[in-house]
Amino acid sequence: MKKTMPLVLMLCFVLSGALCHASGAAGRKMKEDGIPIDIKESTGSLSGLDKSGSIHPSIDDNVLTIVFYENIGEVYAEVTTSTNLPVDATLTITPNGIQFYLPIAGDYIINFTLPNGDEYYGEFTVTD
């Protein structure tokens, strides 16, 4: 009995650790469920290196999430409708993340202007 108790306790600790890890991995997966948005450069707007790989927007229902994986300075992000009507805008310091809530279904464009004047955009659709 004395030898069995430490074995049972160790098994409980190992199983609880495995369950915690599995739960954490499942939680991380849920946060990445958004649909990625392709980023393109605005025609003739690049003054230096292409930074589109540092900008990662995704749409999940009505929430637009943008993550900047690199410090590219203060970035102006503006959401417009597909007909160029302004919806929301913000100036953010990178690397950072921002979110926009878009309550109305439709086609949208996210525009990014970097401190050096480079411009990027992505097109996406919000559905109900």
Short mmCIF file of all heavy atoms in Angstrom, two decimals, residues 63-95:
data_model
loop_
_atom_site.label_atom_id
_atom_site.label_comp_id
_atom_site.label_asym_id
_atom_site.label_seq_id
_atom_site.Cartn_x
_atom_site.Cartn_y
_atom_site.Cartn_z
N VAL A 63 -15.58 40.83 -35.92
CA VAL A 63 -14.39 41.39 -35.29
C VAL A 63 -13.19 41.27 -36.23
O VAL A 63 -12.81 40.17 -36.64
CB VAL A 63 -14.08 40.70 -33.94
CG1 VAL A 63 -12.82 41.27 -33.32
CG2 VAL A 63 -15.26 40.84 -33.00
N LEU A 64 -12.63 42.42 -36.57
CA LEU A 64 -11.41 42.49 -37.38
C LEU A 64 -10.25 42.63 -36.41
O LEU A 64 -10.20 43.59 -35.62
CB LEU A 64 -11.47 43.69 -38.33
CG LEU A 64 -10.20 44.01 -39.10
CD1 LEU A 64 -9.83 42.87 -40.04
CD2 LEU A 64 -10.37 45.31 -39.87
N THR A 65 -9.32 41.69 -36.45
CA THR A 65 -8.15 41.71 -35.57
C THR A 65 -6.90 41.88 -36.43
O THR A 65 -6.74 41.17 -37.42
CB THR A 65 -8.04 40.41 -34.76
OG1 THR A 65 -9.25 40.24 -34.01
CG2 THR A 65 -6.85 40.43 -33.83
N ILE A 66 -6.04 42.80 -36.03
CA ILE A 66 -4.79 43.04 -36.75
C ILE A 66 -3.65 42.88 -35.77
O ILE A 66 -3.63 43.50 -34.71
CB ILE A 66 -4.77 44.44 -37.37
CG1 ILE A 66 -5.96 44.61 -38.30
CG2 ILE A 66 -3.47 44.66 -38.14
CD1 ILE A 66 -6.61 45.94 -38.22
N VAL A 67 -2.68 42.05 -36.14
CA VAL A 67 -1.48 41.84 -35.33
C VAL A 67 -0.28 42.26 -36.16
O VAL A 67 -0.15 41.89 -37.33
CB VAL A 67 -1.35 40.36 -34.91
CG1 VAL A 67 -0.07 40.13 -34.13
CG2 VAL A 67 -2.57 39.92 -34.11
N PHE A 68 0.59 43.05 -35.56
CA PHE A 68 1.84 43.48 -36.20
C PHE A 68 2.97 42.68 -35.55
O PHE A 68 3.18 42.78 -34.36
CB PHE A 68 2.07 44.98 -36.01
CG PHE A 68 0.99 45.82 -36.63
CD1 PHE A 68 -0.08 46.27 -35.88
CD2 PHE A 68 1.05 46.16 -37.97
CE1 PHE A 68 -1.07 47.04 -36.45
CE2 PHE A 68 0.06 46.94 -38.54
CZ PHE A 68 -1.00 47.38 -37.79
N TYR A 69 3.68 41.88 -36.36
CA TYR A 69 4.73 41.02 -35.84
C TYR A 69 6.09 41.69 -35.82
O TYR A 69 7.08 41.08 -35.44
CB TYR A 69 4.83 39.73 -36.65
CG TYR A 69 3.67 38.80 -36.43
CD1 TYR A 69 3.10 38.12 -37.49
CD2 TYR A 69 3.16 38.58 -35.17
CE1 TYR A 69 2.04 37.25 -37.29
CE2 TYR A 69 2.11 37.72 -34.96
CZ TYR A 69 1.56 37.04 -36.02
OH TYR A 69 0.51 36.19 -35.83
N GLU A 70 6.16 42.93 -36.22
CA GLU A 70 7.44 43.63 -36.30
C GLU A 70 7.22 45.09 -35.93
O GLU A 70 6.15 45.65 -36.16
CB GLU A 70 7.96 43.51 -37.73
CG GLU A 70 9.30 44.10 -37.98
CD GLU A 70 9.72 43.94 -39.44
OE1 GLU A 70 9.19 43.07 -40.14
OE2 GLU A 70 10.58 44.72 -39.86
N ASN A 71 8.24 45.72 -35.37
CA ASN A 71 8.16 47.14 -35.07
C ASN A 71 8.36 47.92 -36.37
O ASN A 71 9.47 48.02 -36.88
CB ASN A 71 9.21 47.53 -34.04
CG ASN A 71 9.08 48.99 -33.63
OD1 ASN A 71 8.26 49.73 -34.17
ND2 ASN A 71 9.89 49.39 -32.68
N ILE A 72 7.27 48.46 -36.89
CA ILE A 72 7.35 49.25 -38.12
C ILE A 72 6.91 50.69 -37.87
O ILE A 72 6.58 51.42 -38.78
CB ILE A 72 6.53 48.61 -39.27
CG1 ILE A 72 5.12 48.25 -38.82
CG2 ILE A 72 7.23 47.39 -39.80
CD1 ILE A 72 4.27 47.62 -39.92
N GLY A 73 6.93 51.10 -36.59
CA GLY A 73 6.59 52.47 -36.22
C GLY A 73 5.10 52.64 -35.99
O GLY A 73 4.36 51.68 -35.82
N GLU A 74 4.66 53.90 -36.00
CA GLU A 74 3.24 54.20 -35.84
C GLU A 74 2.52 53.96 -37.17
O GLU A 74 2.86 54.55 -38.18
CB GLU A 74 3.03 55.64 -35.41
CG GLU A 74 3.38 55.91 -33.98
CD GLU A 74 3.01 57.32 -33.56
OE1 GLU A 74 2.95 58.21 -34.43
OE2 GLU A 74 2.80 57.52 -32.36
N VAL A 75 1.53 53.09 -37.12
CA VAL A 75 0.79 52.74 -38.32
C VAL A 75 -0.63 53.28 -38.21
O VAL A 75 -1.30 53.12 -37.18
CB VAL A 75 0.75 51.20 -38.51
CG1 VAL A 75 -0.14 50.82 -39.68
CG2 VAL A 75 2.15 50.66 -38.71
N TYR A 76 -1.06 53.94 -39.28
CA TYR A 76 -2.43 54.43 -39.35
C TYR A 76 -3.26 53.36 -40.05
O TYR A 76 -2.97 52.98 -41.19
CB TYR A 76 -2.49 55.75 -40.12
CG TYR A 76 -3.86 56.34 -40.24
CD1 TYR A 76 -4.51 56.87 -39.13
CD2 TYR A 76 -4.53 56.35 -41.46
CE1 TYR A 76 -5.78 57.41 -39.23
CE2 TYR A 76 -5.80 56.89 -41.57
CZ TYR A 76 -6.42 57.42 -40.45
OH TYR A 76 -7.67 57.96 -40.56
N ALA A 77 -4.27 52.85 -39.36
CA ALA A 77 -5.15 51.82 -39.92
C ALA A 77 -6.54 52.41 -40.08
O ALA A 77 -7.09 52.98 -39.13
CB ALA A 77 -5.19 50.60 -39.01
N GLU A 78 -7.10 52.26 -41.28
CA GLU A 78 -8.42 52.82 -41.56
C GLU A 78 -9.28 51.75 -42.23
O GLU A 78 -8.85 51.13 -43.20
CB GLU A 78 -8.31 54.04 -42.47
CG GLU A 78 -9.64 54.65 -42.82
CD GLU A 78 -9.52 55.82 -43.77
OE1 GLU A 78 -8.60 55.82 -44.61
OE2 GLU A 78 -10.35 56.72 -43.66
N VAL A 79 -10.49 51.58 -41.71
CA VAL A 79 -11.46 50.66 -42.30
C VAL A 79 -12.47 51.49 -43.07
O VAL A 79 -13.03 52.45 -42.54
CB VAL A 79 -12.18 49.82 -41.23
CG1 VAL A 79 -13.19 48.88 -41.87
CG2 VAL A 79 -11.19 49.03 -40.40
N THR A 80 -12.69 51.11 -44.34
CA THR A 80 -13.70 51.77 -45.16
C THR A 80 -14.60 50.70 -45.77
O THR A 80 -14.24 49.53 -45.82
CB THR A 80 -13.06 52.60 -46.30
OG1 THR A 80 -12.31 51.72 -47.15
CG2 THR A 80 -12.15 53.68 -45.76
N THR A 81 -15.76 51.13 -46.24
CA THR A 81 -16.61 50.22 -46.98
C THR A 81 -16.00 50.03 -48.36
O THR A 81 -15.08 50.76 -48.75
CB THR A 81 -18.04 50.76 -47.13
OG1 THR A 81 -17.99 51.97 -47.89
CG2 THR A 81 -18.67 51.01 -45.77
N SER A 82 -16.52 49.10 -49.12
CA SER A 82 -15.99 48.88 -50.47
C SER A 82 -16.24 50.07 -51.39
O SER A 82 -15.61 50.20 -52.43
CB SER A 82 -16.59 47.61 -51.08
OG SER A 82 -18.00 47.74 -51.15
N THR A 83 -17.15 50.97 -50.98
CA THR A 83 -17.42 52.18 -51.75
C THR A 83 -16.67 53.39 -51.19
O THR A 83 -17.02 54.52 -51.46
CB THR A 83 -18.93 52.47 -51.80
OG1 THR A 83 -19.42 52.60 -50.46
CG2 THR A 83 -19.67 51.38 -52.54
N ASN A 84 -15.67 53.14 -50.35
CA ASN A 84 -14.78 54.16 -49.77
C ASN A 84 -15.42 55.06 -48.71
O ASN A 84 -14.91 56.15 -48.45
CB ASN A 84 -14.13 55.02 -50.85
CG ASN A 84 -12.73 54.54 -51.15
OD1 ASN A 84 -12.20 53.67 -50.46
ND2 ASN A 84 -12.13 55.10 -52.18
N LEU A 85 -16.50 54.63 -48.08
CA LEU A 85 -17.06 55.39 -46.97
C LEU A 85 -16.30 55.01 -45.70
O LEU A 85 -16.13 53.83 -45.40
CB LEU A 85 -18.55 55.07 -46.80
CG LEU A 85 -19.47 55.52 -47.93
CD1 LEU A 85 -20.87 54.99 -47.70
CD2 LEU A 85 -19.46 57.03 -48.05
N PRO A 86 -15.80 56.00 -44.93
CA PRO A 86 -15.04 55.68 -43.71
C PRO A 86 -15.91 55.00 -42.66
O PRO A 86 -17.07 55.37 -42.47
CB PRO A 86 -14.54 57.04 -43.24
CG PRO A 86 -15.31 58.06 -43.97
CD PRO A 86 -15.93 57.42 -45.16
N VAL A 87 -15.33 54.00 -41.99
CA VAL A 87 -16.03 53.28 -40.94
C VAL A 87 -15.35 53.53 -39.60
O VAL A 87 -15.99 53.91 -38.63
CB VAL A 87 -16.07 51.76 -41.24
CG1 VAL A 87 -16.69 51.00 -40.09
CG2 VAL A 87 -16.82 51.50 -42.53
N ASP A 88 -14.04 53.34 -39.54
CA ASP A 88 -13.28 53.51 -38.30
C ASP A 88 -11.81 53.66 -38.66
O ASP A 88 -11.37 53.21 -39.72
CB ASP A 88 -13.47 52.32 -37.38
CG ASP A 88 -13.21 52.64 -35.91
OD1 ASP A 88 -12.71 53.75 -35.61
OD2 ASP A 88 -13.52 51.78 -35.06
N ALA A 89 -11.06 54.30 -37.77
CA ALA A 89 -9.62 54.48 -38.00
C ALA A 89 -8.92 54.64 -36.66
O ALA A 89 -9.52 55.05 -35.67
CB ALA A 89 -9.37 55.70 -38.88
N THR A 90 -7.63 54.31 -36.65
CA THR A 90 -6.82 54.49 -35.46
C THR A 90 -5.35 54.58 -35.83
O THR A 90 -4.93 54.08 -36.88
CB THR A 90 -7.05 53.34 -34.45
OG1 THR A 90 -6.41 53.68 -33.21
CG2 THR A 90 -6.49 52.03 -34.96
N LEU A 91 -4.58 55.19 -34.97
CA LEU A 91 -3.13 55.25 -35.09
C LEU A 91 -2.58 54.37 -33.98
O LEU A 91 -2.93 54.57 -32.81
CB LEU A 91 -2.64 56.69 -34.95
CG LEU A 91 -1.15 56.94 -35.14
CD1 LEU A 91 -0.74 56.65 -36.58
CD2 LEU A 91 -0.81 58.37 -34.78
N THR A 92 -1.75 53.40 -34.32
CA THR A 92 -1.23 52.48 -33.31
C THR A 92 0.27 52.34 -33.42
O THR A 92 0.84 52.46 -34.49
CB THR A 92 -1.90 51.10 -33.42
OG1 THR A 92 -1.51 50.30 -32.30
CG2 THR A 92 -1.52 50.39 -34.70
N ILE A 93 0.88 52.09 -32.29
CA ILE A 93 2.32 51.85 -32.22
C ILE A 93 2.54 50.35 -32.39
O ILE A 93 1.83 49.54 -31.80
CB ILE A 93 2.90 52.34 -30.88
CG1 ILE A 93 2.72 53.84 -30.77
CG2 ILE A 93 4.36 51.96 -30.75
CD1 ILE A 93 3.08 54.42 -29.41
N THR A 94 3.51 49.96 -33.19
CA THR A 94 3.80 48.55 -33.41
C THR A 94 5.09 48.17 -32.69
O THR A 94 5.90 49.04 -32.41
CB THR A 94 3.95 48.27 -34.91
OG1 THR A 94 5.02 49.02 -35.42
CG2 THR A 94 2.68 48.61 -35.65
N PRO A 95 5.36 46.90 -32.41
CA PRO A 95 4.48 45.76 -32.64
C PRO A 95 3.36 45.76 -31.61
O PRO A 95 3.60 45.98 -30.44
CB PRO A 95 5.39 44.55 -32.47
CG PRO A 95 6.44 45.01 -31.52
CD PRO A 95 6.59 46.48 -31.77
#
